[in-house]
Amino acid sequence: MASVTSLTASVHQRLANALSAALPEAAAADPLLRRSDRADFQANGILALAKKAKANPRELAAQVVERVVTGDVIGDIEVSGPGFLNITVTDKAIIENLSARVTDPAARLGVPHADHPGTTVIDYAQPNVAKEMHVGHLRSAVIGDAVVRLLEFTGETVVRRHHIGDWGTQFGMLIQYLDEHPHELDHRAGEVSGEEAMSNLDRLYKAARRKFDSDEEFKTRARRRVVDLQAGDPHTLAMWQKFVDESKIYFFSVFEKLDMEIRDADIVGESGYNDMLAETCRLLEESGVAVRSEGALCVFFDDILGPDGNKVPLIVQKSDGGYGYAATDLSAIRDRVFNLKADTLLYVVDARQSLHFKMVFETARRAGWLGEDVKARQLAFGTVLGKDGKPFKTREGETVRLVDLLDEAIDRASAVVREKAQDLSEREIAERGAQVGIGAVKYADLSTSASRDYKFDLDQMVSLNGDTSVYLQYAYARTQSIQRKAGEVRPVAHPELELSPAERALGLHADQFAETVAEAAAEYAPHKLTAYLYQLASLFTTFYDKCPVLKAETPEQVENRLFLTDATGRTLRQGMALLGIQAPERL
């Protein structure tokens, strides 16, 4: 695959060469190149170098300018202020570079694969069996999905893991109730929808809870059932499996609505590590990493203290012999490192779990399961807030159901699409409404740095103005509309033409796509890609306003502006795909 050297990289290389020629001891120095308002780029690295070499910064800058190769990529370079360099690239280089991206035979817009791809196991989208998914499940799913897409695009081997809550004492109550009412989860003829599956589970859960709270004998039977479940009794496991299967019908329906691929083989819940728990505890105790304290198996840390000043332990096994979350999480690390051969472990989990994961990772390091060559990181995310800035609840103070939230987003988006639609059928409006609504929810989540809380404001999310996915989708649809109107006229790059400021700005930004993708993937930071795409859509809007495309002055200019439109459209579509957002051709 031919990756395309970006203009930033080309300018950087030419400056570095000139720098080492002017000041041989600065061979590996960084010119500190960045985009600038005063020219295309500014290099600020000479000030520090001059100070180090006890040279006059303006004189050193002038010597560098003398040695810079100009003409092909760099059109103009001048010394500014105390020793900055202002650099303008040639119009020809902008168009040639973009042309190389658009004609990339691998259809990757010249984005290279990572130099040293590895294997990443990413743990995200972790709903609970027999429980409704709520707004709190949204971020893990959306952020995780975008990170998976970014990493896979850059060549990483990604193993997805959905660590669903499918084990624990609550199942004793559910299984016992189902055993006594065996037809509660039977399906009548035909397929059952996700909504029906959840309603079945919800009804059964409430009935079991009522009986558990009011009937002491049932409570005793339910508790015995937990023991049977943990002992692997075949009949009890078969009952448990019914809850898992019913829940999956529901999960898959929600993820389908979110336009997200969740594969059955990737769902390895808490139960998937049961066979490893006893060995995990034995290894920790034998190595001295964990010790018995008041009957429980604990790991202590010097820097983690409670309000009373005493050390707060990670409890791996409770005093009654039951296993805590830590035992499961540590067993999962063993599986992911030794069986799946991961060199990176990512956990897309609520920031409120940060202390737990800090302790788990440290324990795994002490046990030798996380070696120097394995990186473990929690991608901690903040809370979804309502418009009032408080955690998002319904008017009644209940947690918001995720399905209700998505349906409302689709309804709002459909209204926006209907208002703007000129030649769309009702079926197309419904289809676009779903693409715009789900895109809006994802983009609002991804455009905030994951670690920060964000306000869930549907009015803002589906707005055509401002930093929203709808704005990007309409910009993309406009690129497609222009190309349809062009008819027989094809986009053709014309490097010989002089570019206007709006064309230059658009072309330079489009050329930075590969660098942005690499940075967003390396830092697990989808918000860097959303910021780039919003800027691209904004620059395209300015270009569209200032540079007539189909009514340009010459046939060559028409073709060149069509080429810029095409390059923008391809970049927007690929960028949105990496965020899991659809790009409708017509809106």
Side-chain angles (χ1 to χ4, degrees):
M1 188 215 99
S3 63
V4 178
T5 304
S6 70
L7 291 170
T8 310
S10 295
V11 171
H12 186 283
Q13 191 56 56
R14 282 163 172 73
L15 283 184
N17 292 346
L19 248 176
S20 56
L23 194 69
E25 61 266 38
D30 186 347
L32 297 181
L33 191 68
R34 60 179 181 82
R35 289 297 308 278
S36 164
D37 298 338
R38 312 210 165 167
D40 294 333
F41 296 97
Q42 189 174 70
N44 302 338
I46 286 173
L47 297 177
L49 280 174
K51 192 174 178 185
K52 208 169 168 187
K54 299 192 167 43
N56 177 310
R58 273 191 73 90
E59 283 174 18
L60 178 58
Q63 288 170 28
V64 170
V65 168
E66 278 173 29
R67 290 169 170 80
V68 168
V69 177
T70 58
D72 57 346
V73 174
I74 295 176
D76 189 41
I77 179 166
E78 58 177 33
V79 181
S80 148
F84 301 132
L85 295 178
N86 285 341
I87 301 130
T88 305
V89 296
T90 64
D91 292 350
K92 177 172 176 279
I94 293 174
I95 295 298
E96 284 180 345
N97 244 41
L98 264 190
S99 179
R101 292 195 183 286
V102 167
T103 55
D104 171 9
R108 292 173 53 85
L109 296 173
V111 178
H113 284 107
D115 292 337
H116 304 289
T119 298
T120 294
V121 175
I122 178 166
D123 190 324
Y124 69 106
Q126 311 104 341
N128 292 313
V129 164
K131 286 191 181 168
E132 186 96 55
M133 286 175 73
H134 55 77
V135 67
H137 291 113
L138 179 67
R139 299 208 73 186
S140 174
V142 169
I143 295 165
D145 184 57
V147 171
V148 166
R149 289 166 186 265
L150 279 163
L151 290 176
E152 287 185 337
F153 191 67
T154 54
E156 185 78 359
T157 299
V158 179
V159 181
R160 309 155 189 220
R161 278 292 173 264
H162 309 296
H163 191 88
I164 63 172
D166 64 354
W167 204 249
T169 51
Q170 75 276 20
F171 284 100
M173 172 183 91
L174 295 171
I175 291 167
Q176 186 59 36
Y177 188 84
L178 186 60
D179 205 25
E180 295 175 13
H181 303 77
H183 300 297
E184 284 290 308
L185 287 182
D186 287 357
H187 289 162
R188 315 291 176 262
E191 289 258 316
V192 64
S193 71
E195 198 70 10
E196 286 172 280
M198 192 62 240
S199 146
N200 291 342
L201 289 164
D202 197 45
R203 187 186 67 249
L204 196 148
Y205 186 88
K206 285 175 178 161
R209 183 90 241 173
R210 274 195 302 275
K211 193 155 177 65
F212 187 85
D213 291 341
S214 62
D215 182 336
E216 283 302 317
E217 288 180 3
F218 176 77
K219 188 180 281 189
T220 305
R221 293 196 298 278
R223 287 186 172 148
R224 270 206 301 270
R225 188 62 80 168
V226 177
V227 178
D228 294 342
L229 178 65
Q230 289 174 341
D233 169 60
H235 174 68
T236 304
L237 279 175
M239 291 290 195
W240 166 81
Q241 191 63 47
K242 282 190 172 185
F243 284 101
V244 175
D245 292 343
E246 194 80 4
S247 298
K248 281 184 180 177
I249 296 171
Y250 163 69
F251 296 159
F252 285 127
S253 74
V254 178
F255 289 123
E256 191 177 346
K257 188 165 282 200
L258 265 170
D259 192 20
M260 203 174 277
E261 182 195 40
I262 301 286
R263 302 180 298 223
D264 197 44
D266 301 331
I267 299 176
V268 183
E270 292 164 0
S271 64
Y273 305 99
N274 283 345
D275 296 347
M276 300 175 71
L277 301 179
E279 190 184 18
T280 295
C281 291
R282 181 178 64 74
L283 292 169
L284 289 173
E285 193 167 9
E286 283 178 4
S287 62
V289 172
V291 294
R292 292 279 165 191
S293 174
E294 296 174 31
L297 187 62
C298 302
V299 183
F300 289 93
F301 309 86
D302 292 338
D303 58 341
I304 300 174
L305 307 175
D308 53 5
N310 291 332
K311 291 180 184 176
V312 176
L314 180 70
I315 300 173
V316 186
Q317 190 177 22
K318 301 172 200 163
S319 54
D320 65 3
Y323 299 104
Y325 288 126
T328 310
D329 287 334
L330 287 163
S331 299
I333 287 176
R334 287 175 55 214
D335 177 56
R336 292 165 187 187
V337 173
F338 300 117
N339 295 337
L340 300 175
K341 307 290 186 227
D343 36 50
T344 302
L345 304 179
L346 296 180
Y347 294 79
V348 189
V349 182
D350 190 317
R352 287 170 291 195
Q353 301 289 324
S354 295
L355 179 60
H356 170 77
F357 278 101
K358 180 184 172 186
M359 294 160 96
V360 164
F361 295 158
E362 174 59 26
T363 300
R365 292 229 176 269
R366 290 181 190 177
W369 303 333
L370 279 179
E372 289 299 306
D373 51 345
V374 183
K375 177 169 72 173
R377 180 165 163 192
Q378 180 195 1
L379 300 185
F381 55 81
T383 307
V384 181
L385 307 174
K387 283 188 191 180
D388 57 3
K390 294 177 181 160
F392 200 23
K393 301 275 191 210
T394 63
R395 287 205 180 114
E396 294 73 39
E398 299 286 316
T399 306
V400 180
R401 294 169 71 224
L402 185 50
V403 173
D404 293 343
L405 201 72
L406 299 179
D407 285 342
E408 192 180 344
I410 291 168
D411 287 347
R412 297 276 190 99
S414 299
V416 171
V417 172
R418 178 174 277 108
E419 199 178 300
K420 295 279 288 185
Q422 286 157 1
D423 54 353
L424 297 180
S425 67
E426 275 304 309
R427 190 181 62 77
E428 287 173 319
I429 289 172
E431 188 182 273
R432 304 293 193 282
Q435 292 173 336
V436 172
I438 297 301
V441 169
K442 288 183 177 181
Y443 187 88
D445 195 314
L446 296 170
S447 57
T448 308
S449 169
S451 57
R452 292 173 50 195
D453 299 344
Y454 84 97
K455 284 188 185 173
F456 196 95
D457 180 348
L458 275 175
D459 293 330
Q460 171 54 36
M461 286 179 190
V462 299
S463 167
L464 293 170
N465 305 312
D467 189 1
T468 65
S469 66
V470 193
Y471 181 68
L472 303 188
Q473 287 168 321
Y474 269 97
Y476 174 73
R478 178 174 275 167
T479 66
Q480 301 310 291
S481 166
I482 292 169
Q483 292 186 77
R484 283 193 299 274
K485 284 178 187 162
E488 297 297 306
V489 185
R490 309 310 313 145
V492 179
H494 283 280
E496 74 281 1
L497 292 181
E498 194 176 315
L499 299 177
S500 71
E503 290 172 303
R504 288 181 58 83
L506 180 62
L508 275 167
H509 191 70
D511 185 59
Q512 290 186 296
F513 180 63
E515 288 163 340
T516 307
V517 168
E519 189 181 343
E523 297 176 21
Y524 316 120
H527 69 279
K528 297 207 164 176
L529 181 55
T530 62
Y532 168 87
L533 293 172
Y534 174 59
Q535 177 76 6
L536 182 65
S538 304
L539 289 167
F540 178 71
T541 303
T542 306
F543 159 80
Y544 180 79
D545 289 345
K546 297 196 169 170
C547 306
V549 178
L550 302 178
K551 293 184 177 170
E553 289 168 19
T554 65
E556 291 78 16
Q557 203 171 39
V558 171
E559 289 176 342
N560 202 52
R561 286 181 179 172
L562 267 176
F563 162 74
L564 280 168
T565 301
D566 178 43
T568 303
R570 288 169 189 260
T571 308
L572 281 170
R573 185 176 65 220
Q574 179 64 76
M576 286 194 277
L578 291 175
L579 299 171
I581 294 171
Q582 297 273 358
E585 303 281 312
R586 295 171 190 264
L587 272 176

